[in-house]
Amino acid sequence: MSSVAIKSKGFDFKAFLANNGALVGLVILCLALFIATPRFLTAANLVNVGIQVSTIAVMAFGLTFVIVAAGIDLSVGSVAALSAMVSSYWVSTAALPGGLAIVIGLLVGAACGWVTGAMSAYGKLPTFIASLAMLTIVRGLTLVISDGRPIPTGDAVSFLGSDVGVIPVPIIVLVLSAIVAGFVLNYTVIGKNAFAVGGNTEAARLSGIPVKRVLVTVFVISGIFSALSGMILAGRLDSAQPTLASGYELDAIAAVVIGGASLSGGVGRISGTLIGALVLAVIRNGLNLLSVSAFWQQVVIGLVIAIAVGFDVFRRKNVKH
Amino acid sequence: MSKNPLLVLEKVCKSFGAIQVINEVTVEVHAGKVSVLLGENGAGKSTLIKMIAGVHPPDSGRILLDGEEVKITDTKSSEALGIATIHQELNLVPSMTIAENITLGRVPRRFGIINRREMRAVARAALDRLDLDLHVDTLVGELGLAQQQLVEIAKALSMDARVLILDEPTAALTNSEISQLFAVINQLKAKGVGMVFISHHLDEIAEIGDFVNVLRDGQFIATVPADTHENELVRLMVGREIDEQFPRARTDVADTVLLSVKDLSVGMLNNISLDVRPGEVVALAGLMGAGRTELIRAIAGADAYTSGSVTVAGAPLAGHDVAAATRAGIGHVPEDRKTQGLVLDASVAENIGYATMASSSKLGLVDRKGQRKRAEDIAARLRIRMGSIDQPIRSLSGGNQQKAVFGRWFTAGSKVLLLDEPTRGVDVGAKVEIYELINEITSSGGCVLMASSELPEVLGMSDRVLVMSQGRITGELLTAEATQDKIMAMAVSNVHRENESGNN
């Protein structure tokens, strides 16, 4: 969408740099860490980063749809928790077959997304407010169901946090999610509609695009991915905690915007979001390896967000001249 | 022309990347004169005024104020030199009062506390200079657009502006508001303020201008007196003769009815009934705020209506459903292509394809190849000038953007085109091309309902004129028998005086 690459013979390195700032940043970051510490480029550490990144990235994939449609979804962390909790609750109390538990979790996520989307599309609430309300409502419901205590997950959800051979399941889910999300965003009417609505809602409406339905759909997608993310997280812990994924919405938003999406809508890529999530995870991992205090890590992450987005704003301004 | 110009841009140049947008242009502004900048979109007018305003400093060339070279590096230095720019988008804060707006950024203070009395006095004096009868404590948001513009001019003058740049100030004003603005401009002339005036309306140039600087493709073409004949101005601007400004090719109108509206009412719209036949162009004329846009939007499904019915080729159409209207063959070219017609950051291809994206999809997948092919075909047919079909539509000129909106409905196979100010902000050459698109629709058996504020366009391009006033159709004329006077007489019928200056 925002690509400005001009077709010329050979490879336009400048244009590539300008369009893939986050990727270039990630590569530099990895090189720096490779030089700084021998512990970075080990299989065990990279797998660790992969697992770390999976929960945020999967959540951020769904969020990308909402942000492309010029909305925001603050409820993703809470929805992740409720989905994991309901799924575990059914397994432990009703002894449902494992596979069904995952389906129930995803349905809970979809339902939460539908409510948020409907509040903003039909109730005319700004998406910020609608999803802020859902953030506390859903977190509250999670506490109500669990009575504030962790619930053990069933086998199926635990599987999401386990390994297949040497490959952790979270990484497999991450790759599959990226492919599905990228496909839906770029090749389906749902995805292209999200771009049109986010780019100019009124123009989309006057072209016959069902704007309200599009808004609800992107929130449902966001809810489903959040649920998946929540179940991965619970699976790794073998239990659904009532405070699961709390505060994750901020990391997910950061991943999406570092990946080049615009909060004013119409621009965003799944590959960008993945890179954004990787940047965050690699920085955290690197700072841990270098024994930087957790307090300073927060400062660094904040600066990275500001620099990454600042770079993007600067680039767009230059393109528009 | 007098010997001592107030402000001179001397052989200024400006490039953005590899594109030279201004090439050795020399323009003079004289005290007490209105210097008109004329040129098609993309000719470099706005870049030139941004140089004066300090937004884009020139790459080379000199700017002289009172014969001395000055450097204008940013907007602050421009202001300090007594240069004020009134942009199309006004720089006022709607939630603040007139007094607060006029003193914005230089609020009078006493002991660090805002001196409200002094603030009001400054504002009062500024309004008085323009003989504006407004209360300084009124919120700017409560004013009409024209009055806001005058407040902005008052603000500029209160900063002792000697050079005033007016960028298309009349674009959104009604006729009576334009007269009020021109009265103010004439006062300022008498007070020795030098002005630069940009307008697409050739008739205004003769009325308010003193001399005209014509630009084309970033080059200076000529300076001519403002009373130069319109045809000559157009020739200078476009660089070639325009044979016919309105090339309407009339077709035989069929007896059947393609679009029929019966007793439609909503809000101000009152029992509107009209029929449009295949091959016919029906114009909707009237003053601003007469309800033309509201009617077009209601028919297009963009807004709901409370009673009445719309039928297309005999089939009734559900209200407030753009998708249904699209399926029935209605295409809507809205009033403002930037805010209502286009997704500016999306590509030309995507913008052309929105109306057919869902209908051509299979199993929810976008038909990417087909969408692209259709967009390329229509872009070639409508002669949309662009580097590539994948470039953001923002980078196209206004006329080519408008052609893309038409292209969307041509691709969708629309038979009934609802046009709302189809050539607003479009330059002369592209206008003629858009008129040819209208001919194409009618010659292929489609019909057009066109709302237009430009009477020459109404008379030149339509077959029949419906005149609206206060939400009703107050008259109907065959275009062959219509004149501007007859239309205006119907347009003002029943209009209560106070409505004219109301909030349109």
Side-chain angles (χ1 to χ4, degrees):
Chain A
M1 300 278 325
S2 66
S3 125
V4 286
I6 293 152
K7 270 178 206 150
S8 63
K9 38 188 170 150
F11 180 69
D12 191 339
F13 190 65
K14 252 189 170 171
F16 178 80
L17 274 189
N19 279 322
N20 296 281
L23 180 59
V24 174
L26 179 64
V27 170
I28 293 173
L29 202 60
C30 290
L31 281 176
L33 284 172
F34 172 62
I35 293 166
T37 163
R39 283 184 296 163
F40 177 68
L41 202 65
T42 60
N45 187 53
L46 292 185
V47 165
N48 186 22
V49 172
I51 294 173
Q52 292 286 335
V53 91
S54 60
T55 44
I56 291 293
V58 169
M59 189 181 273
F61 291 156
L63 184 59
T64 305
F65 284 82
V66 176
I67 288 180
V68 160
I72 189 78
D73 189 350
L74 300 175
S75 69
V76 285
S78 300
V79 170
L82 182 67
S83 306
M85 190 60 77
V86 171
S87 149
S88 302
Y89 179 82
W90 280 103
V91 171
S92 61
T93 57
L96 282 176
L100 201 56
I102 293 180
V103 173
I104 285 178
L106 295 177
L107 285 177
V108 169
C112 291
W114 188 88
V115 173
T116 317
M119 273 202 278
S120 70
Y122 300 101
K124 310 276 179 211
L125 288 183
T127 56
F128 187 98
I129 304 296
S131 64
L132 181 64
M134 283 301 276
L135 179 149
T136 47
I137 293 172
V138 171
R139 180 65 68 185
L141 287 177
T142 309
L143 289 164
V144 168
I145 290 172
S146 65
D147 201 16
R149 284 188 293 267
I151 298 183
T153 55
D155 291 344
V157 172
S158 290
F159 171 73
L160 287 179
S162 63
D163 298 328
V164 174
V166 290
I167 304 171
V169 176
I171 294 182
I172 299 172
V173 175
L174 166 70
V175 172
L176 291 178
S177 300
I179 293 170
V180 170
F183 180 78
V184 174
L185 189 61
N186 292 306
Y187 290 86
T188 67
V189 175
I190 293 170
K192 287 292 172 186
N193 277 346
F195 277 109
V197 168
N200 185 340
T201 306
E202 182 68 359
R205 192 169 79 85
L206 295 184
S207 302
I209 292 171
V211 170
K212 288 179 183 164
R213 225 187 302 154
V214 172
L215 207 53
V216 173
T217 309
V218 293
F219 274 99
V220 168
I221 292 173
S222 177
I224 291 172
F225 277 99
S226 299
L228 189 55
S229 165
M231 287 187 287
I232 296 173
L233 204 51
R236 280 170 51 204
L237 304 169
D238 278 326
S239 74
Q241 310 275 345
T243 54
L244 188 88
S246 97
Y248 272 39
E249 55 277 352
L250 299 179
D251 269 9
I253 294 170
V256 177
V257 295
I258 290 175
S262 160
L263 284 182
S264 48
V267 181
R269 286 188 290 192
I270 294 298
S271 59
T273 297
L274 177 58
I275 291 165
L278 280 169
V279 167
L280 290 175
V282 167
I283 288 178
R284 285 225 170 87
N285 176 257
L287 295 176
N288 279 334
L289 293 180
L290 297 172
S291 323
V292 175
S293 97
F295 302 159
W296 277 109
Q297 291 191 15
Q298 298 202 21
V299 176
V300 173
I301 300 267
L303 288 174
V304 166
I305 294 171
I307 292 168
V309 177
F311 175 81
D312 215 44
V313 169
F314 179 74
R315 177 181 69 83
R316 266 187 214 132
K317 200 175 149 195
N318 275 7
V319 169
K320 268 172 206 163
H321 83 70
Chain B
M1 214 174 294
S2 68
K3 282 148 288 189
N4 300 316
L6 190 58
L7 179 77
V8 184
L9 299 182
E10 195 180 84
K11 294 193 175 165
V12 288
C13 300
K14 181 78 196 177
S15 303
F16 292 113
I19 304 153
Q20 179 133 34
V21 287
I22 296 285
N23 189 5
E24 299 221 335
V25 171
T26 298
V27 171
E28 297 182 350
V29 182
H30 293 261
K33 302 274 189 218
V34 172
S35 162
V36 178
L37 279 185
L38 185 65
E40 296 194 83
N41 292 329
K45 298 178 306 255
S46 56
T47 309
L48 206 62
I49 61 167
K50 280 176 183 166
M51 279 185 189
I52 308 176
V55 180
H56 296 313
D59 295 334
S60 65
R62 304 195 298 164
I63 300 180
L64 304 171
L65 189 69
D66 293 325
E68 284 179 32
E69 184 170 354
V70 290
K71 290 266 178 257
I72 303 179
T73 50
D74 52 21
T75 47
K76 275 257 178 285
S77 58
S78 168
E79 248 170 47
L81 291 168
I83 299 167
T85 309
I86 311 297
H87 293 285
Q88 274 174 288
E89 290 84 23
L90 299 175
N91 288 319
L92 297 172
V93 186
S95 56
M96 293 169 74
T97 66
I98 293 178
E100 285 166 332
N101 268 287
I102 286 180
T103 56
L104 200 65
R106 51 190 180 101
V107 183
R109 264 168 279 203
R110 200 165 47 183
F111 313 122
I113 293 165
I114 293 175
N115 183 346
R116 296 206 154 262
R117 184 180 300 177
E118 172 72 14
M119 183 170 86
R120 287 200 188 90
V122 170
R124 185 71 260 157
L127 294 181
D128 283 347
R129 281 183 73 179
L130 299 179
D131 294 334
L132 288 183
D133 186 23
L134 293 172
H135 197 277
V136 292
D137 290 332
T138 314
L139 290 181
V140 161
E142 291 170 5
L143 301 174
L145 195 60
Q147 287 174 319
Q148 292 189 16
Q149 208 167 42
L150 294 173
V151 167
E152 178 120 11
I153 293 175
K155 178 182 166 187
L157 294 177
S158 78
M159 292 192 267
D160 296 321
R162 301 158 65 204
V163 177
L164 192 62
I165 301 161
L166 300 153
D167 186 3
E168 291 202 49
T170 59
L173 303 190
T174 66
N175 282 333
S176 71
E177 288 168 339
I178 290 173
S179 334
Q180 195 188 356
L181 174 70
F182 283 2
V184 167
I185 291 179
N186 279 322
Q187 284 174 42
L188 296 178
K189 272 192 194 185
K191 287 178 181 155
V193 177
M195 280 167 282
V196 179
F197 182 85
I198 295 181
S199 172
H200 277 289
H201 296 276
L202 296 174
D203 48 337
E204 291 173 4
I205 291 169
E207 191 180 340
I208 198 70
D210 291 295
F211 51 92
V212 182
N213 302 290
V214 185
L215 299 179
R216 189 199 314 146
D217 299 330
Q219 310 263 3
F220 176 74
I221 300 299
T223 297
V224 294
D227 56 3
T228 307
H229 194 274
E230 283 188 16
N231 289 351
E232 173 66 8
L233 289 177
V234 169
R235 195 190 61 77
L236 287 171
M237 192 162 57
V238 185
R240 60 191 152 88
E241 300 282 348
I242 297 253
D243 309 334
E244 234 184 324
Q245 274 197 24
F246 302 105
R248 172 83 183 119
R250 294 199 161 75
T251 38
D252 288 330
V253 175
D255 257 350
T256 52
V257 172
L258 190 47
L259 171 69
S260 176
V261 177
K262 289 257 176 316
D263 301 323
L264 186 143
S265 296
V266 61
M268 69 177 305
L269 295 178
N270 200 329
N271 275 323
I272 304 276
S273 295
L274 59 87
D275 288 331
V276 188
R277 283 171 269 278
E280 195 177 28
V281 177
V282 173
L284 284 175
L287 301 177
M288 209 180 260
R292 291 169 299 167
T293 295
E294 289 79 357
L295 176 57
I296 294 261
R297 286 177 61 93
I299 299 172
D303 295 332
Y305 48 85
T306 43
S307 65
S309 66
V310 176
T311 52
V312 177
L317 181 64
H320 204 184
D321 185 345
V322 179
T326 305
R327 283 193 298 274
I330 286 183
H332 174 206
V333 178
E335 190 179 20
D336 183 343
R337 68 183 153 271
K338 290 212 162 101
T339 60
Q340 301 164 338
L342 299 170
V343 179
L344 290 170
D345 286 323
S347 70
V348 180
E350 284 176 311
N351 271 286
I352 290 175
Y354 287 136
T356 50
M357 188 162 66
S359 59
S360 67
S361 67
K362 290 195 186 75
L363 301 170
L365 297 186
V366 176
D367 172 20
R368 283 159 70 109
K369 246 190 212 152
Q371 284 285 86
R372 201 186 159 78
K373 173 90 174 56
R374 283 187 285 275
E376 277 171 347
D377 289 350
I378 207 75
R381 202 175 114 206
L382 306 193
R383 292 192 299 260
I384 296 176
R385 279 173 214 94
M386 59 193 177
S388 136
I389 196 100
D390 295 317
Q391 100 189 67
I393 203 154
R394 179 191 295 282
S395 57
L396 267 54
S397 74
N400 285 306
Q401 289 179 348
Q402 189 75 322
K403 281 194 268 180
V405 181
F406 273 83
R408 176 185 300 156
W409 301 117
F410 277 51
T411 311
S414 304
K415 280 286 172 198
V416 178
L417 267 265
L418 306 173
L419 313 180
D420 200 349
E421 306 289 355
T423 62
R424 177 177 285 175
V426 170
D427 48 49
V428 183
K431 261 186 191 178
V432 175
E433 290 182 333
I434 285 172
Y435 295 146
E436 274 157 6
L437 297 183
I438 292 177
N439 286 336
E440 220 177 293
I441 298 158
T442 53
S443 68
S444 64
C447 70
V448 173
L449 182 64
M450 170 180 80
S452 173
S453 299
E454 296 191 37
L455 287 177
E457 174 173 283
V458 166
L459 294 172
M461 284 308 298
S462 71
D463 302 319
R464 195 149 54 90
V465 185
L466 298 174
V467 187
M468 288 186 73
S469 169
Q470 292 188 312
R472 298 162 190 271
I473 291 179
T474 50
E476 176 171 356
L477 293 162
L478 286 176
T479 305
E481 295 159 7
T483 62
Q484 296 206 9
D485 292 340
K486 281 190 195 167
I487 292 173
M488 283 318 289
M490 290 174 174
V492 297
S493 62
N494 301 324
V495 175
H496 301 298
R497 238 164 261 293
E498 61 268 29
N499 278 10
E500 243 275 56
S501 60
N503 31 339
N504 319 305

